[in-house]
Amino acid sequence: MTNQPASCPIGHGSQTTIETAKTDWWPKTLNLDILSQFDTKTDPYRSSFNYREELKKLDVEALKKDLHKLMTDSQSWWPADWGHYGGLFVRMAWHSAGTYRTADGRGGGGTGTQRFAPLNSWPDNVNLDKARRLLWPVKKKYGNKVSWADLFILAGNIAYESMGLKVFGFGFGREDVWHPEKDTYWGSEKEWLADSDARYENVDDPSTMENPLAAVQMGLIYVNPEGVNGKPDPLKTAAHIRETFARMAMNDEETVALTAGGHTVGKSHGNGRAENLGPVPEAADLFEQGLGWNNHVSRGIGRDTVSSGIEGAWTTNPTKWDNGYFYQLFTYEWELTKSPAGAWQYQPIGIKEEDKPVDVEDPSIRLMPMMTDADMAMIKDPAYLEISKKFYKDPEYFSDVFARAWFKLTHRDMGPKVRYIGPDVPAEDLIWQDPVKPGKSDYDVAAVKAKIAAAGLSVSDLVATAWDSARTYRASDMRGGANGARIRLEPQRSWVGNEPERLNRVLAVLEPIAKEFGISVADTIVLGGNLGVELAAVAGGRNISVPFSPGRGDATPEQTDGESFAPLEPIHDGYRNWVMKKYTVEPEELMLDRTSLMGLTAPEMTVLAGGMRAINTNHGESKNGVLTDREGALTNDFFVNLTDMVYVWEPRGDNAYVLRNRETGEAKFTATRVDLVFGSNSILRGYSEFYAQDDNQDRFVNDFVAAWTKVMNADRFDLVS
């Protein structure tokens, strides 16, 4: 029983909290909300704001000077360890950028979503809310001229600079979003750092880990710091580290460098009782000011802070960039012990007093350094050991490798270098930036188009090839797309989804044309696709001109890291009505994911699917979903016939349907789930009915051309002012 006064019941008709938004009256359906996230209604800037233009007004040197000052401006409400916030801001930047995953390109620091749930309340992000509040006066001062997303990463750079590292560079250009990403799957786990078995088919085989990386891994605890399933075993931990870092696009050398460089500065906090910590930010009461994990039982700041549960610094001088990490690892033997919070960690045997780091508040007190299971992995795994020895022997080499790996970590989701802004952008082109030199743009487009038209390729060949070249684009990390024409290089040239036999036949025609005019194959492929759309429109009774922007370049094999492109391989494409095999997820859900990654909206998805069916760009020349008697013509027939109640839909095996005349029984068309979802899902049917209207035939063609052009130009960042 409580003595709190009773509350008056009141009826309010809206779902004002998530926990009340039950779906008992909302059957299972497609989550089309992921295609309308970041709507202008959520953006306080509306459509008039141009971040790239605002950045031109930014006094970069003044901002960096203020950030340098912030590093040592210790605040009593959250004091800096040793009077320097460097370790805290490094961790903030790392945990913002380190959520990146190669499988789908989602995550990363490119949108500033560390401000929002679930990231702001992940246990491994404990007390990073304090770092962001410490950063607020700087953000307040510079306002619109610098995004939170850029500021998080820049603060990490400045932290390292202030501690003595020569950073590799920095690129501005990350634009904030204003609510959490709705499309990102963060894993199925309900408990933080529960046994890993549920995330692996076999926990002894790290490659069987759930893909994409889920919340526990993406929360920057790539492995449990106490060991796999909380049991110390450095070799086992090493195997898990290798797998998770690879899924972040890091090789062994980069992995060791990042581990060592991250642990060269700052400390872990476990000098207290974890059970004294209050709720996470999103669960805390209003009086907590939007902060979480607050300790109202004991002191809970300074030397008494609890974050990870691990306690101690890794090096003698945790506010200096030096080779102290490897010095400690190689100088001493290490034994298992437990932190005050009860976490497994390692301590050195027989350490010299002068090699101990000092207390964060009282420099007269020296304390034991520590290492985690992940740190032990750096000298127990044979490959990691050799790299660690090399770094220890050559500190300058270590610093260079780390600086480059840090730059990669913090910029991996930004796309090509043309998107980088500011005075500190490195001149060097890096292979992971997918470099492509600009192609020729001052040529007779009409003459090239005429040459393609006379070459004898079908409309389907032209449109499908252009689509296959462009569809690799991922708005999640701005990779892929038609620029570079990597469809003509391995591994893309052999991807099953690209129909290699047909592709080689088409390229054999288009490549000589490109050579004849001295233009890129990339431009030629897209121009051919545009021509195909125009010819299809003519066949449908409408003369249109598809916008074309010349200037794409052709990537070389040397500019292409084939391995890094492997995750971009399509194993399904609803737009071309193809799935490689049967998956646990339905084809329409796969199409939704593809659409989200391509940055398309639900209306754009609908109009593209309907138009491409009418043109018949299906993989393998399948007739599924070609709901028209005017095949090859850009018409709205797909929608007309899909919504016509003259037809009944009959299942005919897995992912196979027949559209049959209700009266005569005549089988008229065949279809797949991806086709029929546009007539069965209530939201998508609304769009289909819109395009099926007699008065929207011109609208259909115009909308198709606009969506097509968006796909073709998705990676033309050189066209963005």
Side-chain angles (χ1 to χ4, degrees), residues 3-22:
N3 294 320
Q4 293 184 353
S7 299
C8 293
I10 183 173
H12 64 301
S14 63
Q15 300 282 9
T16 52
T17 62
I18 293 175
E19 65 263 31
T20 64
K22 305 299 184 185

Side-chain angles (χ1 to χ4, degrees), residues 294-582:
N294 290 326
N295 186 343
H296 298 296
V297 179
S298 56
R299 182 164 176 256
I301 60 173
R303 68 165 67 96
D304 301 310
T305 303
V306 175
S307 295
S308 64
I310 305 291
E311 169 59 27
W314 291 266
T315 68
T316 309
N317 302 300
T319 62
K320 294 182 180 179
W321 178 262
D322 56 23
N323 218 25
Y325 177 83
F326 292 114
Y327 171 80
Q328 296 280 31
L329 266 180
F330 285 111
T331 300
Y332 297 105
E333 296 294 323
W334 296 80
E335 63 180 355
L336 267 174
T337 186
K338 283 202 171 183
S339 74
W344 284 115
Q345 59 186 57
Y346 295 81
Q347 70 176 24
I349 300 171
I351 187 172
K352 299 174 184 175
E353 191 68 15
E354 63 266 27
D355 287 343
K356 296 178 180 178
V358 301
D359 179 74
V360 298
E361 297 179 67
D362 185 348
S364 69
I365 302 171
R366 287 191 177 270
L367 302 167
M368 274 287 186
M370 66 84 209
M371 295 285 171
T372 70
D373 214 54
D375 298 305
M376 290 294 103
M378 298 300 110
I379 56 174
K380 297 299 183 182
D381 178 270
Y384 289 165
L385 173 61
E386 290 307 308
I387 296 167
S388 294
K389 286 179 178 178
K390 187 175 183 179
F391 286 160
Y392 185 34
K393 184 179 179 181
D394 191 343
E396 288 189 9
Y397 180 71
F398 163 55
S399 294
D400 181 66
V401 174
F402 173 80
R404 287 171 173 272
W406 174 260
F407 182 79
K408 180 180 179 180
L409 174 78
T410 52
H411 293 73
R412 189 66 180 86
D413 64 333
M414 285 189 67
K417 196 170 72 174
V418 69
R419 297 192 68 250
Y420 296 19
I421 301 170
D424 299 320
V425 176
E428 183 179 345
D429 288 327
L430 305 167
I431 193 168
W432 56 263
Q433 296 173 325
D434 302 336
V436 179
K437 290 183 178 179
K440 185 178 179 181
S441 58
D442 57 340
Y443 59 90
D444 189 338
V445 172
V448 178
K449 190 187 290 186
K451 190 78 172 183
I452 297 171
L457 293 172
S458 69
V459 166
S460 178
D461 281 339
L462 292 169
V463 173
T465 301
W467 178 265
D468 289 353
S469 184
R471 71 173 169 199
T472 53
Y473 177 72
R474 303 194 306 197
S476 53
D477 58 358
M478 285 75 173
R479 299 192 70 212
N483 193 22
R486 288 190 168 90
I487 196 172
R488 76 195 203 287
L489 305 174
E490 295 298 342
Q492 295 191 31
R493 192 158 183 153
S494 299
W495 286 347
V496 175
N498 287 341
E499 296 182 275
E501 185 177 342
R502 178 194 59 77
L503 175 61
N504 288 329
R505 174 171 54 79
V506 173
L507 289 176
V509 175
L510 296 182
E511 287 180 328
I513 295 174
K515 186 176 181 180
E516 178 183 342
F517 287 91
I519 64 176
S520 68
V521 178
D523 262 3
T524 310
I525 289 172
V526 172
L527 189 57
N530 286 8
L531 171 66
V533 171
E534 292 173 355
L535 293 174
V538 169
R542 286 167 173 78
N543 288 308
I544 58 154
S545 178
V546 179
F548 177 74
S549 299
R552 294 169 185 81
D554 288 337
T556 65
E558 292 73 27
Q559 294 171 317
T560 304
D561 178 6
E563 185 178 350
S564 78
F565 277 93
L568 274 67
E569 179 179 3
I571 57 173
H572 59 87
D573 185 355
Y575 294 94
R576 295 193 63 210
N577 221 348
W578 170 75
V579 284
M580 186 177 291
K581 58 185 179 182
K582 181 174 174 58

